[in-house]
Amino acid sequence: MAHDRSEEPVLTARAAGLAGCGACGAVSTPGVETCPRCGNALHGRRPGSLERVWAWWFAGLIAYIPANLYPMLRTQFLGRATDSTIVGGVIDLVHHGAYLVGGIVFLASVMIPVGKFLAVAYLAISIGRHSHLSFHQRTVLYEVVEFIGRWSMVDVFVVAILTALVNLGFVMAFKPGTAAVFFALSVAFTMISALSLDPRLIWDDAEPDGAPHD
Amino acid sequence: MQPVDTASRLLDAGAPEIIACTVCDALHEVKEIPEGGRLRCTRCGATLLRSPGKALDRILASSFAMVILVLSALFFPFLQISASGLSSATTLLQTAFAFDSGFTAPLAFVLILLIIVLPVTRAVALAYALLPLRLGLRLLPGTKAAFRLAGHLRPWSMAEVFMVGCVVALVKIGGLARVGLGPAFWELALIVMIVALEASTFCEKTIWRMIDQKSRS
Ligand SMILES: [Zn+2]
Ligand SMILES: [Zn+2]
C-alpha cells in the first residue's frame, strides 16, 4: 500500500490539543462533552476501551464452551431422534456430500468465532507493545473482525428455520438444542467486544513523541 | 489531501474545515471531494469523506424496501417443504417463534429483534432523518437522534444474515424433502442485494456532515 508506513509527520487531533469524534470525525476543543455534529459522547479516546474489550471477550469465550459441548440441533427422522453439536453438524453435512454448505457452516460456526477470539486478543495485546504486524495490517484486521462477526449468527438462524419449517410429525422434525442459546450469546458478546475497541489506540503507538495514553 | 501542519487556530471561524480520521486520529483539511470519489486518510488509508452522489437515494430506497419486504414476509410463507405426502411452510414470524419452549425460549425474543424489529426500526429511523434532507426540506426534530440510532443498530440488524441462513437450511434438508420457495423468499433475496448495495456506498461521516451543514443553514 502506498500510504502504509509513511514517514511524513502527522498531526493527530490529540497532539493538536483537540478531540476528534470517533463516530463522525468532527473536531472539537477538549472539555466539550457532546459532539456538536452528531451528538454522541465525545472522547478523545473511548474511556475504558481495552477493559471493555477484555470483559466481553471473556464472556464470549465462556459462552462458547457450552455452545460446543451441548447439542445445537435435535433431528427426529422416522421416530428416531439424534442430537448433533455444531462440529457434529458439519461432519454430518460432509458425510452427506454437501461440501459447500458444510464449508459455509464450518466457516461461520467454527473458523470465524475462533479466528475472532484470536484476532481481538491479538489486537488488544498488541496495543502499547511492539507488534509483528504493521499499523496498517492491524487496522485491516480490526475492520475484518468488525465486519465478519455478525455472520456467525447464521447457525442460530438455521436452527430456527429448520425447527419452524420442518414440522412433518413422525416423518421428520427438528428441535433447537441448548447450545443455540450459548452460541447466540457468544456471538453477541464477541461483537460487543470488537465494537468496544477504539481503533485509534492502535495508532497511538505510531506517534514518535509518545503522547501518554488516556 | 495534506495533513494540517499547524495546530494553532485550527478551529477559528475563518480557518479551513478540518476533520479527524476516526481510525487513526490524524487531522486533515477538508478539500473539495471529486465527484464520485472520496478523501482518504494519508496516514492509515481509511475513507474520510465520500462525495455524496446518490448515497441518500440509495439509503432511502433500501430503507423503504426493507420495511415493505420484512413486513410482508412476516405473514406470508417464504419457504415450504413436502415429504411423504406431508407438507409444511413457515413465515418469518413462525421462524422467530421456533424457540418456543424451555431453555431456548428467550431466543425467540432475540430473533424477533434481530430479523424483524431492528431492521425495520433502523430503516424507519433512516427515512425519518434523511428523507427531508434529500427533498431539501427543513430537518425534522430529532433528526440527529434518529441517525445516531440507525448507526447504533447497524451491526444488529441482521436481515441479510438471516437470508444466508435460509439457503444453508434449504441445502441441509434438500436431500430429505422437496423444497419450495414462496414468493416471500424472493423478496427476502431482494433484501440481501439491496442491503449489500446500500452498505457498499454508506459513509456515516459524510451523511453526518450533510446533516450538520443543513442544520446550520
Ligand atoms: Zn460526532
Ligand atoms: Zn487515518
Side-chain angles (χ1 to χ4, degrees), chain A residues 20-26 34-42, chain B residues 208:
Chain A
C21 175
C24 73
T34 311
C35 174
R37 178 173 288 180
C38 72
N40 280 301
L42 184 66
Chain B
W208 271 125

Side-chain angles (χ1 to χ4, degrees), chain B residues 163-180:
Chain B
M163 201 52 220
V164 173
C166 288
V167 175
V168 174
L170 288 181
V171 177
K172 262 193 163 175
I173 53 171
L176 303 170
R178 190 190 301 274
V179 173

Side-chain angles (χ1 to χ4, degrees), chain B residues 21-26 28 41 43-46 48:
Chain B
C21 176
T22 53
V23 174
C24 75
D25 208 33
H28 295 272
C41 176
R43 189 192 198 193
C44 76
L48 294 169

Side-chain angles (χ1 to χ4, degrees), chain A residues 154 157-158 161-162 165, chain B residues 78-79 90 92 95 159-173 179 181 185 188:
Chain A
V154 156
F157 293 153
V158 169
I161 294 162
L162 289 177
L165 176 63
Chain B
F78 62 96
L79 293 173
T90 187
L92 210 50
T95 304
E160 79 278 19
V161 180
F162 178 77
M163 201 52 220
V164 173
C166 288
V167 175
V168 174
L170 288 181
V171 177
K172 262 193 163 175
I173 53 171
V179 173
L181 306 177
F185 177 85
L188 283 173

Side-chain angles (χ1 to χ4, degrees), chain A residues 135-167:
Chain A
F135 295 107
H136 192 81
Q137 287 167 325
R138 280 189 276 161
T139 305
V140 172
L141 186 62
Y142 162 78
E143 277 160 2
V144 169
V145 162
E146 228 195 352
F147 168 80
I148 222 167
R150 52 210 292 278
W151 288 94
S152 296
M153 212 55 108
V154 156
D155 222 25
V156 178
F157 293 153
V158 169
V159 171
I161 294 162
L162 289 177
T163 305
L165 176 63
V166 185
N167 195 359

